[in-house]
Amino acid sequence: MKFNPTDYKKRNITIWNEVASRYHKRWASISQGPFASTSKLVQLLDIKKGDRVFDLACGTGVVTKKIIQKVGGSGFIIGGDTSVKAIKIAKKWNGKKLNLDFVNLDAETFRFSKKFDVITCQYALFFFPNAQKALKNMKKHLKKEGKLGITVHGGAQKVPFFSSIFDAVTEFIPDYVPPGSPDLDRFGTKKALNKEVKKAGFSKINVQDFNFNFNPGKFENYWQNYLKYLAKPLKEKLDALDKKQRKDLKNMVRENVKSFTQNDGTIKFPWEVLILTAKNKD
Ligand SMILES: C[S@@+](CC[C@H](N)C(=O)[O-])C[C@H]1O[C@@H](n2cnc3c(N)ncnc32)[C@H](O)[C@@H]1O
Protein backbone atom coordinates (compact mmCIF):
# COMPACT_ATOMS: atom_id res chain seq x y z
CA MET A 1 0.00 0.00 0.00
CA LYS A 2 1.28 3.44 -0.94
CA PHE A 3 2.04 5.81 1.96
CA ASN A 4 -0.60 8.49 2.28
CA PRO A 5 0.54 11.51 4.36
CA THR A 6 -3.02 12.72 4.93
CA ASP A 7 -4.10 9.37 6.37
CA TYR A 8 -0.91 9.23 8.44
CA LYS A 9 -1.66 12.65 9.92
CA LYS A 10 -5.29 11.69 10.61
CA ARG A 11 -4.07 8.57 12.39
CA ASN A 12 -1.63 10.64 14.48
CA ILE A 13 -4.39 13.05 15.43
CA THR A 14 -6.61 10.17 16.58
CA ILE A 15 -3.74 8.67 18.56
CA TRP A 16 -2.72 11.95 20.21
CA ASN A 17 -6.31 12.82 21.06
CA GLU A 18 -6.53 9.45 22.78
CA VAL A 19 -3.20 9.46 24.63
CA ALA A 20 -2.75 13.17 25.46
CA SER A 21 -3.99 13.02 29.05
CA ARG A 22 -2.04 9.80 29.83
CA TYR A 23 1.07 11.32 28.27
CA HIS A 24 0.64 14.50 30.29
CA LYS A 25 0.20 12.66 33.59
CA ARG A 26 2.89 10.06 33.08
CA TRP A 27 5.63 12.19 31.51
CA ALA A 28 5.16 15.80 30.61
CA SER A 29 3.61 17.38 33.71
CA ILE A 30 6.12 15.78 36.08
CA SER A 31 9.25 16.37 33.93
CA GLN A 32 9.78 12.61 33.83
CA GLY A 33 12.43 11.03 31.59
CA PRO A 34 13.12 13.07 28.45
CA PHE A 35 11.26 16.09 29.84
CA ALA A 36 14.27 16.83 32.03
CA SER A 37 15.70 18.42 28.87
CA THR A 38 12.91 21.00 28.45
CA SER A 39 14.68 23.49 30.73
CA LYS A 40 17.90 22.98 28.78
CA LEU A 41 16.16 23.80 25.48
CA VAL A 42 14.67 26.98 26.95
CA GLN A 43 17.99 27.97 28.50
CA LEU A 44 19.90 27.49 25.23
CA LEU A 45 17.47 29.77 23.39
CA ASP A 46 18.11 32.64 25.80
CA ILE A 47 14.54 33.89 25.51
CA LYS A 48 14.18 37.56 26.50
CA LYS A 49 11.40 39.59 28.09
CA GLY A 50 9.20 40.92 25.31
CA ASP A 51 10.01 38.08 22.87
CA ARG A 52 7.28 36.69 20.65
CA VAL A 53 7.53 32.89 20.70
CA PHE A 54 5.76 30.06 18.88
CA ASP A 55 5.84 26.55 20.39
CA LEU A 56 5.07 24.22 17.48
CA ALA A 57 3.50 20.84 18.27
CA CYS A 58 3.09 22.14 21.81
CA GLY A 59 1.21 19.03 22.97
CA THR A 60 -0.04 19.59 26.50
CA GLY A 61 1.90 22.83 26.86
CA VAL A 62 5.03 21.81 28.74
CA VAL A 63 7.54 23.93 26.81
CA THR A 64 4.98 26.72 26.57
CA LYS A 65 4.66 26.85 30.35
CA LYS A 66 8.40 27.28 30.82
CA ILE A 67 8.63 29.97 28.15
CA ILE A 68 5.80 32.11 29.45
CA GLN A 69 7.86 32.89 32.53
CA LYS A 70 10.67 34.18 30.29
CA VAL A 71 8.74 36.43 27.91
CA GLY A 72 6.95 38.32 30.69
CA GLY A 73 3.89 40.53 30.26
CA SER A 74 5.38 42.40 27.30
CA GLY A 75 6.05 39.17 25.36
CA PHE A 76 3.69 36.71 23.75
CA ILE A 77 3.61 32.96 23.27
CA ILE A 78 1.45 30.83 21.01
CA GLY A 79 1.30 27.03 21.23
CA GLY A 80 0.07 25.12 18.17
CA ASP A 81 -0.79 21.45 17.70
CA THR A 82 -2.97 19.18 15.55
CA SER A 83 -4.49 17.49 18.61
CA VAL A 84 -7.47 19.37 20.04
CA LYS A 85 -7.32 17.20 23.16
CA ALA A 86 -3.69 18.13 23.81
CA ILE A 87 -4.56 21.80 23.34
CA LYS A 88 -7.45 21.51 25.77
CA ILE A 89 -5.09 20.13 28.42
CA ALA A 90 -2.46 22.77 27.59
CA LYS A 91 -5.04 25.55 28.07
CA LYS A 92 -6.21 24.20 31.40
CA TRP A 93 -2.67 23.52 32.66
CA ASN A 94 -1.33 26.95 31.70
CA GLY A 95 -4.37 28.93 32.81
CA LYS A 96 -5.83 31.97 31.08
CA LYS A 97 -3.26 34.66 30.35
CA LEU A 98 -3.35 37.74 28.16
CA ASN A 99 -0.02 36.91 26.52
CA LEU A 100 -0.78 33.26 25.78
CA ASP A 101 -2.82 31.51 23.10
CA PHE A 102 -3.19 27.95 21.84
CA VAL A 103 -4.18 27.19 18.26
CA ASN A 104 -5.15 24.03 16.40
CA LEU A 105 -2.83 23.86 13.37
CA ASP A 106 -0.58 21.66 11.26
CA ALA A 107 3.21 22.10 11.22
CA GLU A 108 3.45 22.04 7.44
CA THR A 109 0.69 24.55 6.72
CA PHE A 110 0.31 26.99 9.65
CA ARG A 111 0.15 30.70 8.83
CA PHE A 112 0.58 33.75 11.06
CA SER A 113 0.61 37.35 9.93
CA LYS A 114 3.31 38.37 12.47
CA LYS A 115 6.76 36.78 12.69
CA PHE A 116 8.39 35.35 15.83
CA ASP A 117 11.66 35.90 17.70
CA VAL A 118 11.83 32.22 18.66
CA ILE A 119 10.19 28.98 17.48
CA THR A 120 10.45 25.79 19.54
CA CYS A 121 9.49 22.24 18.59
CA GLN A 122 10.10 19.54 21.17
CA TYR A 123 9.77 15.81 20.35
CA ALA A 124 7.67 16.29 17.22
CA LEU A 125 9.80 16.96 14.10
CA PHE A 126 9.98 13.21 13.39
CA PHE A 127 6.16 13.00 13.27
CA PHE A 128 5.86 15.44 10.37
CA PRO A 129 5.69 13.43 7.11
CA ASN A 130 7.23 16.36 5.27
CA ALA A 131 9.67 17.68 7.88
CA GLN A 132 11.40 19.86 5.28
CA LYS A 133 8.15 21.65 4.51
CA ALA A 134 7.55 22.18 8.23
CA LEU A 135 11.08 23.53 8.76
CA LYS A 136 10.78 25.91 5.82
CA ASN A 137 7.45 27.06 7.23
CA MET A 138 9.11 27.69 10.60
CA LYS A 139 11.88 29.68 8.89
CA LYS A 140 9.33 31.78 7.03
CA HIS A 141 7.74 32.69 10.35
CA LEU A 142 10.98 33.73 12.08
CA LYS A 143 12.23 37.31 12.15
CA LYS A 144 15.72 37.97 10.78
CA GLU A 145 18.12 36.67 13.48
CA GLY A 146 15.18 34.75 14.97
CA LYS A 147 16.04 31.52 16.80
CA LEU A 148 14.91 27.94 16.27
CA GLY A 149 15.04 25.29 19.02
CA ILE A 150 14.33 21.64 18.24
CA THR A 151 14.58 18.59 20.47
CA VAL A 152 14.41 15.00 19.18
CA HIS A 153 15.15 11.58 20.62
CA GLY A 154 18.41 9.90 19.70
CA GLY A 155 18.31 6.89 17.36
CA ALA A 156 17.11 3.41 18.31
CA GLN A 157 20.37 2.32 19.93
CA LYS A 158 20.50 5.48 22.03
CA VAL A 159 16.96 5.04 23.34
CA PRO A 160 16.47 1.36 24.22
CA PHE A 161 13.36 2.34 26.21
CA PHE A 162 11.62 2.55 22.81
CA SER A 163 13.60 0.09 20.70
CA SER A 164 13.58 -2.86 23.15
CA ILE A 165 9.84 -3.16 22.60
CA PHE A 166 9.51 -1.73 19.10
CA ASP A 167 12.15 -4.03 17.55
CA ALA A 168 10.43 -7.09 19.01
CA VAL A 169 6.90 -5.99 18.17
CA THR A 170 7.73 -5.29 14.53
CA GLU A 171 9.24 -8.80 14.22
CA PHE A 172 5.83 -10.21 15.10
CA ILE A 173 3.68 -7.50 13.53
CA PRO A 174 5.45 -6.05 10.45
CA ASP A 175 2.60 -3.59 9.80
CA TYR A 176 2.49 -2.40 13.45
CA VAL A 177 2.79 1.11 12.01
CA PRO A 178 1.34 1.81 8.53
CA PRO A 179 3.73 0.59 5.80
CA GLY A 180 5.84 3.42 4.37
CA SER A 181 5.44 5.58 7.50
CA PRO A 182 8.35 7.97 8.04
CA ASP A 183 11.06 6.46 10.22
CA LEU A 184 10.74 8.15 13.62
CA ASP A 185 14.49 7.73 14.09
CA ARG A 186 15.45 9.59 10.92
CA PHE A 187 16.73 12.67 12.78
CA GLY A 188 18.25 10.67 15.64
CA THR A 189 21.91 11.54 14.92
CA LYS A 190 23.58 14.95 15.13
CA LYS A 191 24.54 14.66 11.47
CA ALA A 192 21.06 13.82 10.18
CA LEU A 193 19.35 16.50 12.26
CA ASN A 194 21.91 19.14 11.27
CA LYS A 195 21.58 18.21 7.59
CA GLU A 196 17.78 18.49 7.57
CA VAL A 197 17.78 21.88 9.29
CA LYS A 198 20.59 23.19 7.09
CA LYS A 199 18.68 22.10 3.98
CA ALA A 200 15.77 24.30 5.09
CA GLY A 201 18.13 27.30 5.01
CA PHE A 202 18.98 27.83 8.69
CA SER A 203 22.41 29.10 9.84
CA LYS A 204 24.52 28.89 13.02
CA ILE A 205 23.30 25.34 13.64
CA ASN A 206 24.43 23.69 16.84
CA VAL A 207 23.37 20.24 18.03
CA GLN A 208 24.08 19.08 21.58
CA ASP A 209 23.38 15.72 23.13
CA PHE A 210 21.69 15.47 26.48
CA ASN A 211 22.08 12.09 28.20
CA PHE A 212 20.37 10.65 31.22
CA ASN A 213 19.21 7.31 32.62
CA PHE A 214 15.63 6.23 32.98
CA ASN A 215 14.45 3.51 35.33
CA PRO A 216 11.05 2.06 34.35
CA GLY A 217 11.09 -0.43 37.28
CA LYS A 218 11.40 -4.18 36.85
CA PHE A 219 10.66 -5.91 33.54
CA GLU A 220 7.04 -6.61 34.44
CA ASN A 221 6.44 -2.90 35.25
CA TYR A 222 8.06 -1.88 31.97
CA TRP A 223 5.96 -4.31 29.94
CA GLN A 224 2.65 -3.70 31.74
CA ASN A 225 3.08 0.08 31.50
CA TYR A 226 3.72 -0.24 27.78
CA LEU A 227 0.42 -2.08 27.36
CA LYS A 228 -1.41 0.31 29.69
CA TYR A 229 -0.35 3.48 27.85
CA LEU A 230 -0.67 2.09 24.35
CA ALA A 231 -3.01 3.78 21.84
CA LYS A 232 -5.95 1.77 20.48
CA PRO A 233 -4.75 1.18 16.88
CA LEU A 234 -1.56 -0.42 18.21
CA LYS A 235 -3.28 -2.28 21.03
CA GLU A 236 -5.67 -3.87 18.54
CA LYS A 237 -2.72 -5.26 16.59
CA LEU A 238 -1.14 -6.72 19.73
CA ASP A 239 -4.47 -8.19 20.82
CA ALA A 240 -4.75 -9.99 17.47
CA LEU A 241 -1.71 -12.14 18.31
CA ASP A 242 -2.39 -15.63 19.64
CA LYS A 243 -1.30 -16.72 23.13
CA LYS A 244 1.94 -18.34 21.95
CA GLN A 245 2.93 -15.31 19.84
CA ARG A 246 2.27 -12.97 22.77
CA LYS A 247 4.42 -15.13 25.03
CA ASP A 248 7.24 -15.28 22.48
CA LEU A 249 7.03 -11.54 21.91
CA LYS A 250 7.23 -10.81 25.63
CA ASN A 251 10.24 -13.13 25.91
CA MET A 252 11.94 -11.32 23.05
CA VAL A 253 11.46 -8.00 24.82
CA ARG A 254 12.76 -9.56 28.05
CA GLU A 255 15.87 -10.66 26.16
CA ASN A 256 16.31 -7.16 24.67
CA VAL A 257 16.35 -5.50 28.09
CA LYS A 258 18.67 -8.04 29.71
CA SER A 259 21.81 -5.98 29.25
CA PHE A 260 20.11 -2.98 30.92
CA THR A 261 18.85 -4.97 33.91
CA GLN A 262 20.62 -4.43 37.23
CA ASN A 263 21.26 -6.92 40.06
CA ASP A 264 18.09 -5.88 41.89
CA GLY A 265 16.01 -6.64 38.78
CA THR A 266 15.26 -3.02 37.90
CA ILE A 267 16.03 -1.74 34.43
CA LYS A 268 18.31 1.23 33.87
CA PHE A 269 18.01 2.53 30.31
CA PRO A 270 20.41 5.10 28.92
CA TRP A 271 18.54 7.76 26.94
CA GLU A 272 19.94 10.36 24.57
CA VAL A 273 18.14 13.40 23.28
CA LEU A 274 19.48 15.92 20.78
CA ILE A 275 18.87 19.63 21.20
CA LEU A 276 19.37 21.79 18.14
CA THR A 277 19.54 25.55 18.03
CA ALA A 278 19.81 27.58 14.83
CA LYS A 279 19.22 31.05 13.44
CA ASN A 280 17.33 32.54 10.56
CA LYS A 281 19.81 34.90 8.91
CA ASP A 282 17.47 36.08 6.13
C1 LIG B 1 5.61 13.75 21.72
S1 LIG B 1 4.41 14.99 21.61
C2 LIG B 1 5.34 16.43 22.07
C3 LIG B 1 4.47 17.51 22.62
C4 LIG B 1 5.22 18.67 23.29
N1 LIG B 1 6.07 19.38 22.35
C5 LIG B 1 6.02 18.18 24.46
O1 LIG B 1 7.24 18.26 24.43
O2 LIG B 1 5.39 17.66 25.40
C6 LIG B 1 4.19 15.20 19.87
C7 LIG B 1 3.12 16.23 19.52
O3 LIG B 1 3.20 16.50 18.11
C8 LIG B 1 1.89 16.76 17.66
N2 LIG B 1 1.88 16.65 16.19
C9 LIG B 1 2.07 15.53 15.45
N3 LIG B 1 2.00 15.82 14.12
C10 LIG B 1 1.78 17.16 14.05
C11 LIG B 1 1.65 18.07 12.96
N4 LIG B 1 1.70 17.63 11.69
N5 LIG B 1 1.47 19.38 13.23
C12 LIG B 1 1.39 19.83 14.50
N6 LIG B 1 1.50 19.00 15.59
C13 LIG B 1 1.70 17.70 15.36
C14 LIG B 1 1.06 15.72 18.39
O4 LIG B 1 -0.31 16.02 18.38
C15 LIG B 1 1.70 15.77 19.78
O5 LIG B 1 1.03 16.67 20.60
Side-chain angles (χ1 to χ4, degrees):
M1 217 173 58
K2 207 171 161 262
F3 174 69
N4 181 328
T6 309
D7 290 347
Y8 175 79
K9 283 185 187 180
K10 277 190 196 150
R11 182 178 181 273
N12 269 347
I13 291 171
T14 308
I15 287 180
W16 281 103
N17 280 339
E18 185 202 337
V19 304
S21 58
R22 304 197 303 252
Y23 171 86
H24 188 63
K25 270 196 209 117
R26 187 185 179 196
W27 298 102
S29 65
I30 52 169
S31 298
Q32 171 100 287
F35 290 93
S37 71
T38 307
S39 301
K40 184 78 189 163
L41 170 73
V42 174
Q43 182 204 330
L44 285 171
L45 289 166
D46 189 25
I47 295 166
K48 305 256 187 306
K49 286 230 173 321
D51 274 354
R52 194 178 145 77
V53 182
F54 175 44
D55 182 25
L56 175 59
C58 63
T60 58
V62 174
V63 184
T64 327
K65 192 163 187 159
K66 290 229 186 297
I67 293 174
I68 202 154
Q69 296 159 10
K70 300 273 175 195
V71 299
S74 57
F76 199 89
I77 173 146
I78 300 176
D81 201 285
T82 39
S83 161
V84 285
K85 186 65 203 288
I87 287 180
K88 203 171 159 195
I89 296 168
K91 277 187 177 165
K92 194 168 167 203
W93 201 54
N94 278 276
K96 258 198 166 49
K97 289 179 181 67
L98 287 174
N99 59 347
L100 168 70
D101 198 8
F102 287 100
V103 187
N104 185 216
L105 48 73
D106 183 286
E108 295 168 15
T109 55
F110 71 85
R111 290 284 173 271
F112 290 106
S113 51
K114 270 176 88 175
K115 295 193 178 196
F116 296 92
D117 297 287
V118 178
I119 295 182
T120 52
C121 183
Q122 176 172 275
Y123 303 131
L125 185 71
F126 38 78
F127 285 125
F128 310 151
N130 191 340
Q132 202 41 227
K133 190 172 173 192
L135 283 165
K136 284 187 175 144
N137 200 18
M138 290 184 232
K139 186 168 182 290
K140 205 162 88 182
H141 284 83
L142 272 176
K143 295 177 186 171
K144 188 170 164 72
E145 298 294 326
K147 290 177 265 186
L148 173 73
I150 289 184
T151 309
V152 296
H153 297 286
Q157 287 180 353
K158 303 283 183 161
V159 193
F161 174 81
F162 292 141
S163 57
S164 298
I165 289 182
F166 191 76
D167 290 353
V169 170
T170 45
E171 283 272 322
F172 284 81
I173 313 167
D175 66 343
Y176 192 53
V177 291
S181 294
D183 179 358
L184 296 183
D185 274 351
R186 67 199 189 281
F187 307 126
T189 63
K190 285 183 176 175
K191 198 175 163 193
L193 182 60
N194 191 313
K195 193 175 163 197
E196 188 71 10
V197 172
K198 194 172 174 190
K199 193 173 159 197
F202 284 93
S203 315
K204 297 247 173 211
I205 302 170
N206 181 275
V207 189
Q208 299 191 10
D209 53 273
F210 181 90
N211 290 280
F212 57 94
N213 290 312
F214 180 67
N215 186 328
K218 294 190 172 177
F219 175 74
E220 206 54 42
N221 302 108
Y222 172 56
W223 179 244
Q224 292 306 332
N225 271 330
Y226 179 73
L227 299 178
K228 184 173 158 192
Y229 289 100
L230 201 56
K232 263 189 212 137
L234 300 173
K235 192 158 188 337
E236 279 165 12
K237 298 226 168 210
L238 273 182
D239 288 346
L241 294 176
D242 64 32
K243 223 173 155 188
K244 159 115 180 45
Q245 286 173 316
R246 269 182 88 96
K247 195 172 161 213
D248 290 347
L249 164 61
K250 191 172 169 183
N251 280 336
M252 192 181 274
V253 178
R254 199 190 298 275
E255 199 54 39
N256 288 350
V257 304
K258 242 186 191 157
S259 58
F260 306 105
T261 306
Q262 307 175 106
N263 290 339
D264 65 357
T266 60
I267 302 168
K268 186 174 162 188
F269 283 128
W271 197 319
E272 181 189 89
V273 304
L274 301 174
I275 307 178
L276 175 143
T277 55
K279 275 198 169 179
N280 174 29
K281 286 282 184 188
D282 301 326

